[in-house]
Amino acid sequence: MHKHGSYIRVRLPDATGLRTVGGYLTYRVTAKDAKVLLGIDGLETGEENLAALRAVKKHYEHRVESPLPSPVDQRTRGIGGAVRAYATSTLTGHGFKKGTAEGSAVWAERMFLAWLQLLTSDPIPDIETAAAEQAAIIEQAALTDEPGG
């Protein structure tokens, strides 16, 4: 519990291939809603974490919507000092002030197990290389977006 609600965070097992980048799943309940987040925070910079999460999203993008019981927010961003990156699914109207703890717990369990099954059924063989490739794509896009570039 903390001032914004309660949460449970679980580091992902080696079988997912995301342990080396600090992969974790978090279930968070706030006053208004419940969220399940797939996060990455094990690399040195926020940019590297964001690139690793983009590599995860690219690897699973064509499979992610069907096995998960709720859509995933496809935006990638850092939190705080841009150290962590995450993709999130939200169950609106199921926060602790809504009196729907049981429904959000069932949803979170389904989301959590679906993510675990997806990540362990087809792990990314070399997440560091995939993240480096995504970082290069991001850097190249930034260079071409610069004025006069």
Side-chain angles (χ1 to χ4, degrees):
M1 283 294 278
H2 59 82
K3 66 180 181 176
H4 300 295
S6 61
Y7 67 93
I8 297 170
R9 177 176 291 173
V10 178
R11 285 282 174 197
L12 292 169
D14 290 340
T16 64
L18 300 181
R19 186 123 179 139
T20 58
V21 293
Y24 62 88
L25 282 171
T26 297
Y27 165 55
R28 183 172 70 199
V29 179
T30 65
K32 297 178 183 177
D33 55 34
K35 294 181 185 290
V36 172
L37 299 91
L38 170 65
I40 291 178
D41 67 1
L43 300 174
E44 288 186 27
T45 68
E47 290 79 15
E48 289 173 301
N49 288 323
L50 291 169
L53 186 57
R54 284 191 175 107
V56 170
K57 290 163 96 175
K58 183 174 189 267
H59 186 78
Y60 295 107
E61 68 187 347
H62 64 287
R63 292 165 282 185
V64 92
E65 294 304 329
S66 56
L68 297 178
S70 292
V72 174
D73 178 357
Q74 293 297 320
R75 289 179 297 146
T76 309
R77 55 189 170 161
I79 303 175
V83 175
R84 294 176 285 168
Y86 66 88
T88 182
S89 293
T90 304
L91 183 63
T92 345
H94 277 69
F96 61 82
K97 286 192 176 176
K98 306 289 185 178
T100 54
E102 186 176 329
S104 62
V106 169
W107 172 81
E109 181 181 27
R110 287 178 57 216
M111 281 295 290
F112 185 85
L113 293 173
W115 266 118
L116 270 183
Q117 183 175 1
L118 182 67
L119 295 170
T120 55
S121 68
D122 182 22
I124 301 174
D126 184 357
I127 185 64
E128 289 88 354
T129 299
E133 290 169 359
Q134 286 300 306
I137 291 168
I138 294 164
E139 186 176 324
Q140 183 61 40
L143 289 174
T144 58
D145 286 345
E146 289 181 2

